[in-house]
Amino acid sequence: MAAKRKPRKQGSDPVADELNAIKRLLVLQLVTSGVQATHIASTLGVDRSVVSRLVPARKVKRRSSKH
C-alpha cells in the first residue's frame, strides 16, 4: 500500500519545500538524541507546539545512551 502524500500547493517553491524537509529531519535528529522540545523551541525562537507539530515526539523512538 502506497503512503499517502499531501497534494502539492500550486506554485509551491521546490527549494522552500526541500529546506522545510531538511529542517524537519534535523529536528527529528535532535529529538531522537534526547534533546527536549522546549530547548529546541527556545533555540529556534518558536513555541514548543511548533516543534511538536514538526515532529510528534511520542511517535519517535529515542536512541539508547549506550555507545
Side-chain angles (χ1 to χ4, degrees):
M1 181 178 212
K4 293 181 182 178
R5 291 186 176 203
K6 292 181 182 178
R8 289 190 67 151
K9 296 177 185 175
Q10 197 172 30
S12 181
D13 183 12
V15 174
D17 292 343
E18 193 68 24
L19 288 172
N20 228 355
I22 292 168
K23 177 173 68 174
R24 291 174 60 101
L25 286 171
L26 289 171
V27 171
L28 174 63
Q29 182 182 17
L30 288 170
V31 169
T32 58
S33 297
V35 179
Q36 292 182 351
T38 52
H39 293 195
I40 298 169
S42 65
T43 302
L44 293 175
V46 297
D47 191 69
R48 183 191 178 287
S49 63
V50 174
V51 175
S52 296
R53 273 184 254 132
L54 282 172
V55 180
R58 291 182 183 186
K59 296 181 181 181
V60 174
K61 290 186 179 181
R62 303 203 190 283
R63 291 189 218 155
S64 65
S65 59
K66 298 177 184 176
H67 287 98

